[in-house]
Amino acid sequence: MTRFFKESVEDFRSVVDLLHSGELVALPTETVYGLAGDALRPNVVRKIFEVKMRPFIDPLIVHIANYGQVEEIAEPPRELDLLAESFWPGPLTVVLPKKAKVPDLVTAGLPSVGIRMPSHSYIRKVLQQSGLFLAAPSANPFGYLSPTRAVHVTNSFGPKVPHIVDGGNCKHGIESTILGLLNPNEPVLLRPGPIAREKLEAILGRQINIPCKGFEEYGEVNQIAPGNLKKHYSPSTPMDLFPNGSSAPQTFKASKTPTALVFYQRKKETPANEHCFWLTEDGDPKVAAPKLFALLRNLDGRNYDRICVEMAPPEGLGATINDRLLRAAAK
Ligand code: TXA
Ligand code: MG
């Protein structure tokens, strides 16, 4: 039986006890729900991979409560001070040279570790009071859409994840931005996320590259961050995309079988039928992002033959939404 924990003092204590005893707990963060366990115990970390059916070549992010903890597990460059001041706690993960304390299983054998200080009050309190380093990938089966509500976790895993903290809807609804800082003179955007690349560039005062051949220090190119794989974050129903601002593709109009049609923004000419949906009324990507995965999961459960989605305008957070849409729709 799955137990949903609430924010009460007793439940909070149980959650901390479970994590201390080596159990996994699904926890809310400001990005997506994470499947958390003690990062320093290889047998706990192994369980995370097994439950998610995640290949062992895909490293996990380690979550921390305070800046001082970085030095215990990694070698931070000076540049991290600036980034942490602006973006931590928050949806930024940095990849740094790791120290021996971090089990190789966590980092998939890489000499680097991904670290994030989340801002969601629940996981922050768990990190502070437990004193643990928590490994927490998104709490979804490998390759599927990330969970942005507690019920998504139980829908995907059933009794395989019996401990879930219900912290409501995730604020950002999209996984953290990942920045590679193994060479601080050449920072690399390993995964776009809620914090736009331009914001990071402004703080660092230098350009941030997109990974490509030549960044082997982060692993084989396609293995760098499987969040970077061409196909990832995908529903089971086939998805097609159409450009922002254009009308629904002819194939949709001609289709006899039911297709779900998702507009980025509701428009005057949006057809009024039960197979039409939209992410925003006014086009604000901050409103669209937290709804995206929940809507795709919902439609994935409804026997549609296809889901047809309008892309976001490609600026700022819109670019991150499009990144996830392209991966979800990749064939
Ligand atoms: O917002 C988030 O980051 C969420 C919440 C729960 O914190 N977590 C999350 O974890 O998205 P996950 O495991 O689903 O995605 C983490 C990505 C993976 O694609 C992994 O390959 C990459 O981070 N990653 C982790 N450590 C890395 C490293 N040392 N080098 C390169 N990529 C790394
Ligand atoms: Mg994930």
Side-chain angles (χ1 to χ4, degrees):
M1 260 269 288
T2 304
R3 176 159 172 208
F4 286 95
F5 295 86
K6 297 280 179 202
E7 306 218 357
S8 68
V9 178
E10 301 77 51
D11 274 16
F12 179 77
R13 226 174 266 137
S14 308
V15 165
V16 171
D17 289 347
L18 281 165
L19 289 165
H20 271 300
S21 65
E23 296 293 320
L24 306 185
V25 181
L27 295 175
T29 84
E30 71 279 18
T31 56
V32 299
Y33 276 73
L35 184 59
D38 184 345
L40 303 188
R41 285 158 71 173
N43 62 326
V44 175
V45 174
R46 184 178 302 279
K47 274 195 281 188
I48 298 179
F49 281 94
E50 286 168 357
V51 169
K52 269 185 67 90
M53 292 177 295
R54 175 174 176 126
F56 286 100
I57 57 159
D58 186 359
L60 305 179
I61 294 173
V62 176
H63 296 68
I64 58 169
N66 59 67
Y67 196 51
Q69 286 178 298
V70 176
E71 288 207 320
E72 290 183 50
I73 55 170
E75 283 156 28
R78 259 183 309 118
E79 286 75 0
L80 188 63
D81 288 349
L82 293 172
L83 292 168
E85 209 171 290
S86 303
F87 304 114
W88 273 359
L92 173 68
T93 297
V94 290
V95 172
L96 307 177
K98 92 172 184 82
K99 287 192 176 158
K101 187 169 179 169
V102 184
D104 286 338
L105 205 54
V106 171
T107 64
L110 291 172
S112 58
V113 59
I115 303 177
R116 171 162 121 77
M117 190 194 296
S119 64
H120 190 288
S121 59
Y122 196 97
I123 188 168
R124 253 186 92 61
K125 216 166 93 184
V126 171
L127 287 161
Q128 279 160 350
Q129 301 214 1
S130 69
L132 294 169
F133 291 90
L134 290 179
S138 52
N140 53 283
F142 183 71
Y144 195 63
L145 300 158
S146 292
T148 56
R149 298 178 185 164
V151 69
H152 294 161
V153 181
T154 192
N155 285 350
S156 292
F157 289 115
K160 271 169 72 180
V161 178
H163 311 301
I164 302 175
V165 174
D166 188 350
N169 296 349
C170 297
K171 177 174 149 204
H172 296 292
I174 287 214
E175 308 81 354
S176 61
T177 304
I178 306 183
L179 185 68
L181 282 177
L182 295 182
N183 176 357
N185 296 323
E186 274 190 85
V188 182
L189 189 71
L190 294 172
R191 179 172 71 183
I195 299 174
R197 173 178 167 181
E198 298 76 26
K199 287 208 176 140
L200 298 171
E201 287 178 333
I203 295 295
L204 288 175
R206 64 170 76 238
Q207 200 186 318
I208 295 174
N209 298 303
I210 302 288
C212 54
K213 286 216 179 299
F215 288 97
E216 274 81 12
E217 67 236 80
Y218 293 97
E220 286 293 310
V221 162
N222 255 349
Q223 202 184 308
I224 290 171
N228 251 343
L229 290 175
K230 186 165 167 247
K231 184 166 178 63
H232 208 72
Y233 313 112
S234 306
S236 313
T237 313
M239 249 177 81
D240 290 309
L241 306 178
F242 60 100
N244 184 265
S246 66
S247 59
Q250 283 306 322
T251 45
F252 165 74
K253 290 175 188 155
S255 170
K256 290 196 184 64
T257 50
T259 296
L261 183 58
V262 180
F263 286 97
Y264 175 72
Q265 180 180 357
R266 176 142 97 154
K267 305 175 182 63
K268 277 202 207 83
E269 70 277 17
T270 302
N273 76 47
E274 75 271 31
H275 304 302
C276 269
F277 306 85
W278 50 88
L279 289 167
T280 68
E281 293 285 341
D282 63 358
D284 182 353
K286 283 208 184 70
V287 175
K291 289 192 183 155
L292 179 66
F293 289 153
L295 179 59
L296 293 180
R297 277 177 174 262
N298 176 330
L299 298 177
D300 203 22
R302 290 211 211 170
N303 284 331
Y304 282 113
D305 282 0
R306 279 188 327 139
I307 305 171
C308 220
V309 188
E310 179 184 14
M311 296 180 77
E315 295 87 37
L317 184 56
T320 298
I321 293 174
N322 288 343
D323 170 83
R324 302 305 193 269
L325 284 174
L326 285 164
R327 293 179 207 290
K331 303 288 186 272

